[in-house]
Amino acid sequence: MLANIHALPVCIFVFIPFSFLLTYCIAVSLNHVEVGFPYISDTGTYVPESCIFSQAINLVSFLLAVFMYVQYKHVEQHYRDHLSSEFTIVLKLNRWALFVGWCGCFGVNITANFQETSVIVVHMCGALVAFGCAAIYSWLQTIISHYVCPLLNSVAIARMRVFFSLIQTAAFITTMVAGIIAHQNFHGKDPTKWHEQDGGFTAHVVSTGAEWLLVMAFDFFILTYAREMQNISISSPKIHFITEDLTLPSREFYSSEDHVNITTSQNSLRTVNSLPNNSYTEFEKENVLTTHAIVH
């Protein structure tokens, strides 16, 4: 059994800004970007910071995908144990949240591995999917938080998630609109080194600032799950043997201290517990054993 699940959102909360700040410091020290207000992806465009950026963001997307699945199972298990009138609604929202969240993780991978200087269209599509899905995921989980309140989370936490979701939505719209305006007015040579004389600088600063704000709001949103995940643990997968009939000679059976479940072709079940070797003479020369495995 795996406990301390609350460490997962805490690790994500720490690792996201650490990754971005690390690549930012490297990019600035090598004069690959300007000190003031670069886009997050600008800090991972050139070698060697691009290698660190890609690996770090791939790890972040994996941790986020695991977190989203754990949260999905958390809500699902709660409503299976405590049926209510909102059961169907919450399970649908929960499934959609997982789907949208995993799409966002895929977008994060695309953004990290396709640099803007190489394939700008693919990079921008990945960023759009990543940031858009992050905002939608936050809203879906916020709605779920109000349904499960106060059993899984408090009213204060639910309202805090509304606040962070609002920031993400406003920041997403701002960074998109201001970014479009900035690029329309840009007449410089290198967009990763945006100067005031290049045009559209104010809109550029607004766009990059909103992008950093969006990421930090999502980061704090994930952190709000640390407290409620203190109350859950994860068990190892269970394996049940059920399948097709397999014919084995009697001599294939052997003595064991464990319980052995044998299903005959008539679907009757008998349990053999620590049978001595001579007791197997009661079986015919051929016995039917069922061995189909299902993993939960």
Side-chain angles (χ1 to χ4, degrees):
M1 182 175 291
L2 180 62
N4 299 321
I5 306 301
H6 63 281
L8 180 58
V10 173
C11 288
I12 295 172
F13 173 76
V14 173
F15 198 68
I16 287 178
F18 173 77
S19 302
F20 294 158
L21 290 175
L22 176 62
T23 54
Y24 170 79
C25 291
I26 295 174
V28 169
S29 66
L30 296 176
N31 198 31
H32 289 166
V33 296
E34 294 297 320
V35 177
F37 304 106
Y39 283 107
I40 293 174
S41 54
D42 288 347
T43 66
T45 299
Y46 300 105
V47 177
E49 63 268 21
S50 62
C51 304
I52 300 173
F53 185 83
S54 297
Q55 289 296 322
I57 302 308
N58 287 339
L59 179 57
V60 166
S61 65
F62 171 74
L63 292 176
L64 281 172
V66 173
F67 164 82
M68 291 168 180
Y69 182 73
V70 171
Q71 178 59 20
Y72 164 77
K73 296 300 292 184
H74 185 199
V75 174
E76 181 187 54
Q77 189 62 47
H78 167 76
Y79 266 87
R80 292 193 185 282
D81 292 343
H82 306 86
L83 293 177
S84 67
S85 58
E86 299 92 4
F87 176 74
T88 304
I89 299 174
V90 173
L91 287 188
K92 286 182 179 179
L93 289 173
N94 201 32
R95 285 192 291 267
W96 273 108
L98 180 64
F99 173 74
V100 171
W102 279 0
C103 286
C105 293
F106 179 71
V108 170
N109 266 313
I110 294 297
T111 305
N113 294 290
F114 293 84
Q115 284 75 29
E116 60 179 298
T117 54
S118 302
V119 274
I120 183 64
V121 175
V122 178
H123 177 85
M124 294 305 297
C125 288
L128 181 64
V129 171
F131 292 140
C133 288
I136 296 172
Y137 177 81
S138 297
W139 278 114
L140 290 173
Q141 286 295 345
T142 298
I143 296 171
I144 293 173
S145 297
H146 283 80
Y147 275 111
V148 300
C149 180
L151 296 177
L152 293 187
N153 54 260
S154 64
V155 176
I157 290 294
R159 291 176 179 173
M160 191 180 300
R161 288 171 186 165
V162 172
F163 173 71
F164 288 130
S165 298
L166 285 171
I167 292 178
Q168 289 179 66
T169 304
F172 176 69
I173 296 172
T174 301
T175 192
M176 292 298 297
V177 174
I180 292 172
I181 295 173
H183 279 82
Q184 287 177 343
N185 292 279
F186 178 73
H187 48 72
K189 295 182 178 179
D190 186 359
T192 62
K193 296 180 180 180
W194 205 306
H195 303 285
E196 290 189 41
Q197 61 269 23
D198 292 333
F201 184 75
T202 301
H204 169 71
V205 171
V206 171
S207 179
T208 56
E211 183 187 55
W212 283 88
L213 180 62
L214 191 161
V215 172
M216 293 312 300
F218 182 73
D219 200 29
F220 277 99
F221 180 88
I222 296 298
L223 184 64
T224 63
Y225 286 91
R227 184 177 181 84
E228 62 195 72
M229 285 190 174
Q230 289 178 338
N231 302 320
I232 64 174
S233 60
I234 299 176
S235 300
S236 60
K238 295 180 180 179
I239 298 177
H240 297 283
F241 290 92
I242 36 184
T243 58
E244 307 194 2
D245 293 340
L246 176 65
T247 303
L248 293 176
S250 297
R251 64 177 178 272
E252 296 293 334
F253 290 95
Y254 56 90
S255 179
S256 172
E257 296 297 326
D258 299 327
H259 291 278
V260 179
N261 293 332
I262 300 177
T263 305
T264 66
S265 57
Q266 290 77 24
N267 294 324
S268 61
L269 179 68
R270 27 170 131 130
T271 302
V272 179
N273 184 17
S274 304
L275 290 174
N277 288 329
N278 56 10
S279 65
Y280 292 124
T281 57
E282 299 176 4
F283 289 90
E284 296 178 357
K285 290 186 178 180
E286 290 188 342
N287 297 280
V288 179
L289 178 65
T290 295
T291 59
H292 189 183
I294 294 182
V295 180
H296 292 275

